Amino acid sequence: MDRPADEQLNPSSDAPDERAAVDERAAGGGDAAADGGAVANEGTTADEGTAADEEAPWWQDSGMPWHQKPGKRDYWCMACIGLVGVVGLAMLPLKGWLLGLRPDIMLGVSGSRIGAAATGALVAVGSAPHWWAWLLLGSLVSIKLDWVYWWAGKLWGRGMIEVWAGSSPRAQRRYDRLERWAGRLGWLGILVAYAPIPLPLMPVVFVLSGASGMKLRTFLIIDFIAATVWNLGFLLAGRAVGDPIVDLLHEYNKVVNWVTVVLLVAVLVPIFLRSGRRTAR
C-alpha cells in the first residue's frame, strides 16, 4: 500500500519526535551533571568548612606543659603548682610580722634566710637558745613544696620550663642558659639553686631533677641538706654581725604592724583587681 505523498517526501517522519526525545535526554543529562557538580561543590565546601571548624585541642596549646592529653595526675600537679604560688603570697605578711617579733620562729615557720640571719644575730647576744631546732624545722618547711616541681619534671620533662619561657626570645635564651648550667652541675645543682641570685634557677633545677629520673627520696634528701647548709650560712653571717642586726630589728619592731598591713595590701589588691576584670568580662 502506497504511503501518502508527504510521508514519501519525508521518509523519516518520526525523526522530529526522536530528536526531541534526544534533546530532552541531553538536557536532562546536562541538568544531572550540573546537579552533580553542584552537589560535588557543596560536598567540597562542606568538607572545607568542617576542616576549618576543626581546631587543635586546647591541651595542645603552647601555654600548656604537657604534650599529650592530660590525665588526673597532670591536673593535680598543675593545681599543686598553683598552690605553691598561693602559699608564697600568703607567707609574705606573716614573714614581715614575725621578723619584728620572733625571728627564730620566722625561721622555723617559713625557712626564711632573712629569719636565719636575724636568728644568728640573736644567738650572738644569747637570745635564741634553741636556734638549731628552729634551723632544722626551717629546712623542712622550706622544702615542703619543692617536690611539686620535681613531679612536674617527671610528668612533663622540660614542659614547665617551656611554659615559663613563653614566646619571648630573651626569656627562652635565659632559660636555655640556666638549663645548660643545671645539666652540667647534676645533683650539685640543687645545692647551687639556693644561691641568692636574681635568677629562677631553683625551679629549673627542681624540674630537671624530676625529668632526669632522679628518685624522689634522693631529691628530698639532697634538697634538705642544701636548705640546711644555706640557712646555717646565713645564721652564721648574722651571728658574726651581731649587735647591729639586733639594733636594726628593734627599730623594725616599731613599724612591723605597718609593714604587715602594706604587705597585705600588696598581696590582696592585685587579686581583687584581677577578679574584678574577670567579672567585667
Side-chain angles (χ1 to χ4, degrees), residues 226-240:
T228 304
V229 167
W230 278 98
N231 280 338
L232 180 61
F234 277 88
L235 189 146
L236 293 176
R239 182 179 179 180

Side-chain angles (χ1 to χ4, degrees), residues 39-160:
V39 171
N41 290 334
E42 289 177 2
T44 304
T45 304
D47 291 341
E48 291 176 355
T50 303
D53 292 338
E54 291 180 354
E55 296 180 356
W58 65 268
W59 48 267
Q60 289 184 353
D61 188 87
S62 59
M64 299 297 174
W66 39 66
H67 302 290
Q68 58 185 2
K69 188 174 182 179
K72 290 183 179 180
R73 293 185 302 173
D74 302 294
Y75 292 128
W76 275 110
C77 187
M78 184 60 73
C80 289
I81 291 176
L83 178 64
V84 172
V86 172
V87 171
L89 288 175
M91 290 298 293
L92 285 176
L94 181 61
K95 289 179 181 179
W97 182 65
L98 287 175
L99 180 61
L101 299 178
R102 290 291 302 274
D104 50 349
I105 296 180
M106 176 188 177
L107 170 61
V109 169
S110 65
S112 168
R113 300 170 188 175
I114 296 176
T119 301
L122 295 179
V123 171
V125 297
S127 299
H130 304 295
W131 62 268
W132 55 271
W134 293 115
L135 174 67
L136 295 178
L137 179 60
S139 297
L140 285 173
V141 171
S142 66
I143 70 169
K144 61 185 179 297
L145 294 175
D146 292 350
W147 59 271
V148 173
Y149 293 115
W150 174 91
W151 191 20
K154 183 175 177 61
L155 287 176
W156 311 319
R158 63 185 306 275
M160 203 64 219

Side-chain angles (χ1 to χ4, degrees), residues 10 44 64 71 74 110 117 129 132 138 177 190 216 221 232 255 269:
N10 187 10
T44 304
M64 299 297 174
D74 302 294
S110 65
W132 55 271
R177 192 181 306 116
I190 300 176
L216 178 59
I221 291 173
L232 180 61
V255 296
V269 167

